[in-house]
Amino acid sequence: METATLKSIWPEGLSDPSGRRQSKPRTKGRTMIIDKGLGLHEFTDLLATSGEFIDIVKFGFGTSPLYPIPVIRNKIELAIKQGITVMPGGTLLEAAVRLDLVPGFFRQILALGFTGVEVSDGTIEMSRNLRDDLIKDARSLGLKVFTEYGKKLFGSRIDAHDFAVTAERDWACGAELVTVEARETGKGVGLFDEQGDFRDGELSYIRSVIPNLDRVLWEAPLKEQQVSLIKALGPDVHLGNIPAHEVISLETIRRGLRSDTFELHQVPYYDYMI
């Protein structure tokens, strides 16, 4: 049964009690998933069930060169057909920088059909000028650029003022969104402590130096992190590193169709009876 037919079965208020979710191409509340090695059939099934709610697919870390070429091309093509931006993980570009293979990296991702790129320095040290050049070069090639702030080292923290300066310069160079690092575990990095809980006052401090967070994407692989960010910043917050099998689950949290955020969006029953 087609998606449009399925939608027509349900009253509009039930499919989105928040009344706020945009259809694609979304500018608010974008969801980025991390693909750590899904097979073609599993990826096809994911898009059939959840493609409408996915805005960005990141082939995590340096996994992209390890796929058979026909498989990765098919995955990219399937995602693009559903209006999804597809990019390799930032670690792969960092490896290209370390090995002095950046031109070859860009040639290959364009040849495979990638539509986005992540510019990060979570593992290596990168000069500000090189970061600028990578962002500008990627944009000149027609790629959407998503930068990342923060180190992957366990225990690393966010310097809010440095983040603000970095983000402003990234945006000025052409970055679409700036991502706050949390790795795929969501523990002991960035906003989150060793248990994956928010570090006290961290988010409030960031908000005080970057009042407009519309162009910030928060890596939040754990459900409680997603709930906390949606409660703090609203359903339109951009969230990333979402496990592939939890896309619909996250969408229910955004819309108020899960108990964790149920009270944020529900209206009295009689409103539906008028």
Side-chain angles (χ1 to χ4, degrees):
M1 189 178 294
E2 295 182 358
T3 303
T5 307
L6 284 172
K7 281 185 175 180
S8 67
I9 295 172
W10 299 101
E12 186 176 351
L14 285 181
S15 62
D16 183 13
S18 76
R20 294 177 58 175
R21 292 297 285 147
Q22 292 180 334
S23 57
K24 289 184 181 180
R26 274 182 285 271
T27 58
K28 299 178 180 179
R30 284 187 268 186
T31 294
M32 180 266 279
I33 71 161
I34 183 168
D35 178 345
K36 298 189 284 186
L38 296 177
L40 186 56
H41 293 298
E42 192 174 5
F43 192 76
T44 302
D45 288 343
L46 170 68
L47 296 185
T49 57
S50 309
E52 182 180 354
F53 312 121
I54 301 170
D55 302 282
I56 307 160
V57 170
K58 177 169 70 175
F59 291 174
F61 339 119
T63 55
S64 297
L66 306 185
Y67 285 101
I69 293 297
V71 172
I72 194 168
R73 277 187 172 149
N74 281 337
K75 291 177 73 172
I76 292 169
E77 289 172 3
L78 288 168
I80 289 172
K81 286 179 181 177
Q82 294 215 25
I84 297 170
T85 299
V86 195
M87 64 184 181
T91 303
L92 188 60
L93 178 53
E94 291 183 46
V97 169
R98 175 67 61 86
L99 297 170
D100 196 21
L101 294 171
V102 171
F105 165 84
F106 279 126
R107 280 197 303 271
Q108 184 62 7
I109 68 171
L110 290 170
L112 289 171
F114 281 106
T115 55
V117 67
E118 184 176 62
V119 176
S120 65
D121 58 1
T123 304
I124 66 172
E125 295 300 324
M126 183 183 295
S127 71
R128 180 66 248 191
N129 287 340
L130 176 56
R131 186 178 177 101
D132 291 351
D133 289 343
L134 290 171
I135 297 169
K136 292 175 182 177
D137 288 349
R139 289 288 297 123
S140 71
L141 294 169
L143 295 164
K144 294 183 178 180
V145 179
F146 303 87
T147 60
E148 188 172 67
Y149 178 86
K151 294 297 183 182
K152 296 183 184 297
L153 184 66
F154 189 81
S156 62
R157 304 287 293 265
I158 296 172
D159 181 321
H161 285 284
D162 183 60
F163 173 48
V165 171
T166 300
E168 289 294 344
R169 189 153 169 178
D170 286 355
W171 292 324
C173 289
E176 188 159 326
L177 295 176
V178 178
T179 302
V180 178
E181 175 70 70
R183 304 205 68 177
E184 77 280 7
T185 63
K187 294 182 179 181
V189 175
L191 283 179
F192 309 115
D193 64 19
E194 291 76 7
Q195 287 72 47
D197 298 324
F198 273 91
R199 288 182 168 128
D200 291 340
E202 202 93 352
L203 182 58
S204 296
Y205 189 28
I206 291 172
R207 293 181 77 176
S208 71
V209 295
I210 309 180
N212 186 349
L213 298 174
D214 290 347
R215 291 186 289 173
V216 174
L217 184 148
W218 309 86
E219 290 186 348
L222 304 180
K223 176 215 167 188
E224 291 306 321
Q225 297 169 353
Q226 298 157 20
V227 171
S228 296
L229 282 164
I230 287 170
K231 285 183 174 180
L233 302 176
D236 292 335
V237 62
H238 305 301
L239 297 175
N241 275 16
I242 306 302
H245 63 282
E246 294 182 9
V247 174
I248 289 183
S249 172
L250 169 58
E251 194 64 27
T252 63
I253 297 170
R254 288 190 186 277
R255 297 178 183 224
L257 289 168
R258 190 163 177 169
S259 61
D260 307 86
T261 54
F262 187 84
E263 298 300 330
L264 295 180
H265 305 307
Q266 297 302 316
V267 298
Y269 176 74
Y270 63 77
D271 285 358
Y272 287 109
M273 305 300 292
I274 295 174

